[in-house]
Amino acid sequence: MKRRRTALAAALLTATAGLASMQSAQPATAHPATTPSPDAPHRGTVAGARTPDHNPARDRAVAALKKGRSTTFRKNQADPTHNWWGVFPQPGTHDGITATHTVDPSYRVSDADNFTYAPTTKAQNSCMEVVTAYWNSGNEIWAWDWCGAGGPAKTVAVDADFKAKYTQPSGDELAYSVQLVRDSGSGNSWSSYLYNYQSAQWELLYRKAGQDQSGLDHGWDMFEIYASVNPSTGTGYYCTEARDTVFDSSAIELRRNGTWKPASPSDSPWTEENPSGQDFLCPRLNFIRAGADDHWTVRQ
């Protein structure tokens, strides 16, 4: 009997060690940055925000996003491939959204027709989408206008000033916090904000009123690519270029009737339960549901 108990204990220890090993081998999520209160003071404007000029490179980026978002999200397996993953906040569940997004200043996109928009967020009916935009002319934060001509109405370069004021460490990454809210009063007027960690306040990025022309009745917070295959690797260019980049959105909250609550399965379903990296031209990509619909991570 004693031998059997000893053998059983040894087997349990072995199994536990094996489980711990498997768990440690799983890709880790980013450690979320300290989440600012959505009700912190709202004052001032984002330093460095500008109305972008038009040039061929930016026009290609704008055309790609417009094509992929026309009427409905379009998955295109031609070149470039358009795909996405994250959560879709549903109609009637919110009039504001906030989240903390990682940003990697070292990620460089080489091909002029490849774009990584991740994380990117929009509320239902909002006049703007706030995008972490990686493209070959530089890394930027965009306020994309959905109630006007379309395209980025305001851009902020991910430079030293942006990092100092609007980011803080999130594990080995940097993260910034974004908020989109419908303004009080009549009409479909919306404001988007970035959180200034130095002054502890939300600063206005872009404000617009009008009719949402996205053609979609839901919002989103997601990872999104426009990618083509690098013939030398057989995978998307970004699969190599973003090898060490972690795309993470944490503390996703929705505002309803003046109250902020974490996104949940009932109001923000996953766009897909078990996506395949192969469909994103990057087989080693991992899609991690790090929270109950309020936190996701995409990494290799």
Side-chain angles (χ1 to χ4, degrees):
M1 179 67 72
K2 183 176 181 180
R3 286 198 197 97
R4 284 201 296 271
R5 284 199 298 266
T6 302
L8 178 59
L12 287 171
L13 285 171
T14 300
T16 301
L19 177 60
S21 175
M22 287 189 293
Q23 289 173 334
S24 65
Q26 294 298 313
T29 60
H31 298 289
T34 302
T35 304
S37 168
D39 296 318
H42 291 64
R43 55 175 176 252
T45 57
V46 172
R50 66 183 185 90
T51 302
D53 57 350
H54 289 282
N55 59 58
R58 190 180 297 281
D59 289 345
R60 280 196 297 271
V62 170
L65 196 148
K66 279 186 174 179
K67 180 179 179 182
R69 302 290 181 75
S70 58
T71 306
T72 185
F73 284 111
R74 293 182 178 177
K75 291 189 177 182
N76 178 12
Q77 296 305 316
D79 195 9
T81 289
H82 177 212
N83 213 337
W84 60 88
W85 181 76
V87 294
F88 277 174
Q90 293 298 290
T93 62
H94 63 289
D95 62 2
I97 187 170
T98 189
T100 295
H101 291 166
T102 53
V103 59
D104 184 358
S106 67
Y107 175 21
R108 292 290 180 267
V109 173
S110 62
D111 188 271
D113 294 312
N114 281 243
F115 313 98
T116 304
Y117 298 133
T120 182
T121 194
K122 182 185 181 297
Q124 178 207 9
N125 294 333
S126 66
C127 279
M128 72 284 296
E129 172 183 4
V130 176
V131 186
T132 314
Y134 299 101
W135 58 311
N136 79 330
S137 292
N139 302 336
E140 297 176 323
I141 308 301
W142 290 357
W144 180 281
D145 185 354
W146 278 113
C147 289
K154 291 292 181 181
T155 64
V156 184
V158 180
D159 56 15
D161 187 62
F162 175 82
K163 290 188 288 183
K165 293 179 179 177
Y166 301 102
T167 73
Q168 65 170 354
S170 176
D172 295 331
E173 313 299 318
L174 293 175
Y176 72 96
S177 293
V178 58
Q179 184 181 118
L180 289 74
V181 290
R182 190 171 64 205
D183 302 323
S184 59
S186 61
N188 192 51
S189 176
W190 287 78
S191 297
S192 57
Y193 301 87
L194 300 183
Y195 188 77
N196 186 322
Y197 285 94
Q198 288 186 345
S199 58
Q201 63 189 22
W202 292 99
E203 295 181 346
L204 182 68
L205 174 60
Y206 182 59
R207 176 174 288 135
K208 186 66 180 289
Q211 180 69 35
D212 176 17
Q213 298 176 32
S214 69
L216 298 161
D217 66 355
H218 57 74
W220 56 82
D221 189 279
M222 64 185 189
F223 169 82
E224 181 179 17
I225 60 159
Y226 293 81
S228 55
V229 174
N230 181 344
S232 67
T233 64
T235 61
Y237 284 96
Y238 85 96
C239 191
T240 301
E241 294 165 350
R243 180 69 178 86
D244 298 319
T245 299
V246 177
F247 304 96
D248 183 269
S249 178
S250 62
I252 305 168
E253 295 191 20
L254 305 181
R255 189 185 73 174
R256 187 176 188 184
N257 298 326
T259 300
W260 290 95
K261 292 183 179 180
S264 68
S266 64
D267 54 43
S268 304
W270 297 99
T271 59
E272 187 176 353
E273 291 292 324
N274 296 295
S276 166
Q278 189 69 47
D279 293 336
F280 286 76
L281 303 185
C282 190
R284 60 177 176 256
L285 212 59
N286 290 280
F287 301 85
I288 304 164
R289 290 180 286 168
D293 301 43
D294 65 344
H295 185 185
W296 57 260
T297 303
V298 176
R299 66 179 304 161
Q300 297 182 52

